[in-house]
Amino acid sequence: DAGVIQSPRHEVTEMGQEVTLRCKPISGHNSLFWYRQTMMRGLELLIYFNNNVPIDDSGMPEDRFSAKMPNASFSTLKIQPSEPRDSAVYFCASGLYQGTSVFEQYFGPGTRLTVT
Amino acid sequence: AQKITQTQPGMFVQEKEAVTLDCTYDTSDPSYGLFWYKQPSSGEMIFLIYQGSYDQQNATEGRYSLNFQKARKSANLVISASQLGDSAMYFCAMREGNQGGKLIFGQGTELSVKP
């Protein structure tokens, strides 16, 4: 099993530029999660999808952030325009939604974003 | 109010000894799940163990066990026979009721294992 795949692993960009982070979940998983990790705020959920449908996007900081899941094997998180305060590690995780909940969530390696 | 509290920012343990990492939680939902993740210096998040609120027995996974005390709302992680490779950040997380997969994380505990 390849695990959750994220790309790029590192991204350095200038303020104002568009940034797109990509995620391929584990095959067979039907839930996908985007998290952000910073020293100040710790790990926080941005958005999650069940069966490709966004369920909870209350953690998305503002309109500059958007996420899509066009199919079961791919998701993107876009920041436009990017700002220095967006610098963080962005994790994608996937899990199997059964009944009413997901149990284990398996995380990707993360994308370390630096906005200068 | 904090939903997940990890009161130990840092912990030290001697190799081969056992260590307990504390986690308390706050929820009014009778159905919830508790998780522990390990984050080594390389940055990845590794799932360790899960405990459901209705589980009768404490969860165990190899050297990891979860000391679940429901009345006290605590879910401490016990690592037996510590190894140098256990040095990492450890995060406790909770999923409430029918929240799908939404996890709320604590601030983490940094564990250092001494040789």
Side-chain angles (χ1 to χ4, degrees):
Chain A
D1 196 335
V4 177
I5 299 171
Q6 289 187 248
S7 64
R9 294 293 307 276
H10 301 273
E11 177 80 31
V12 180
T13 191
E14 291 184 348
M15 183 174 64
Q17 296 297 306
E18 177 180 296
V19 175
T20 299
L21 310 182
R22 297 173 175 80
C23 176
K24 177 178 170 53
I26 292 172
S27 177
H29 283 182
N30 56 5
S31 291
L32 184 139
F33 309 83
W34 283 101
Y35 291 90
R36 179 172 68 176
Q37 186 177 33
T38 62
M39 287 296 292
M40 291 295 294
R41 300 175 66 91
L43 263 162
E44 50 185 348
L45 178 70
L46 301 177
I47 185 171
Y48 79 91
F49 298 83
N50 281 344
N51 297 313
N52 312 338
V53 176
I55 301 300
D56 184 345
D57 64 355
S58 59
M60 295 286 263
E62 47 199 275
D63 292 345
R64 297 184 298 107
F65 286 69
S66 63
K68 293 182 179 179
M69 191 163 186
N71 57 61
S73 58
F74 184 67
S75 176
T76 59
L77 178 68
K78 187 176 293 186
I79 308 172
Q80 166 63 21
S82 57
E83 296 182 3
R85 61 192 167 119
D86 301 331
S87 298
V89 178
Y90 291 81
F91 286 101
C92 176
S94 72
L96 187 59
Y97 181 81
Q98 295 175 312
T100 58
S101 298
V102 174
F103 296 101
E104 301 99 295
Q105 289 183 27
Y106 294 93
F107 281 69
T111 294
R112 182 174 295 277
L113 174 65
T114 303
V115 184
T116 60
Chain B
Q2 290 272 33
K3 292 259 187 180
I4 293 283
T5 303
Q6 295 181 252
T7 57
Q8 308 151 313
M11 288 278 287
F12 289 91
V13 65
Q14 204 68 36
E15 192 178 9
K16 300 181 185 177
E17 292 186 351
V19 63
T20 298
L21 306 184
D22 294 343
C23 174
T24 58
Y25 59 92
D26 182 26
T27 182
S28 57
D29 199 315
S31 175
Y32 53 89
L34 298 156
F35 302 75
W36 277 92
Y37 283 85
K38 172 184 179 181
Q39 187 176 39
S41 58
S42 51
E44 71 268 34
M45 294 286 288
I46 302 167
F47 167 75
L48 295 178
I49 197 166
Y50 166 81
Q51 179 87 41
S53 60
Y54 295 119
D55 293 344
Q56 294 296 312
Q57 296 193 336
N58 287 346
T60 60
E61 288 287 346
R63 294 186 299 111
Y64 303 109
S65 60
L66 201 152
N67 184 1
F68 182 44
Q69 298 188 43
K70 199 168 181 176
R72 297 180 61 185
K73 293 188 175 179
S74 74
N76 299 339
L77 178 70
V78 180
I79 305 174
S80 63
S82 298
Q83 302 172 356
L84 296 178
D86 294 334
S87 295
M89 283 289 288
Y90 288 81
F91 292 94
C92 180
M94 177 176 67
R95 169 188 47 77
E96 289 181 292
N98 297 334
Q99 291 290 317
K102 182 174 182 176
L103 290 181
I104 302 167
F105 283 86
Q107 287 299 100
T109 295
E110 184 169 9
L111 177 67
S112 298
V113 181
K114 295 181 176 180

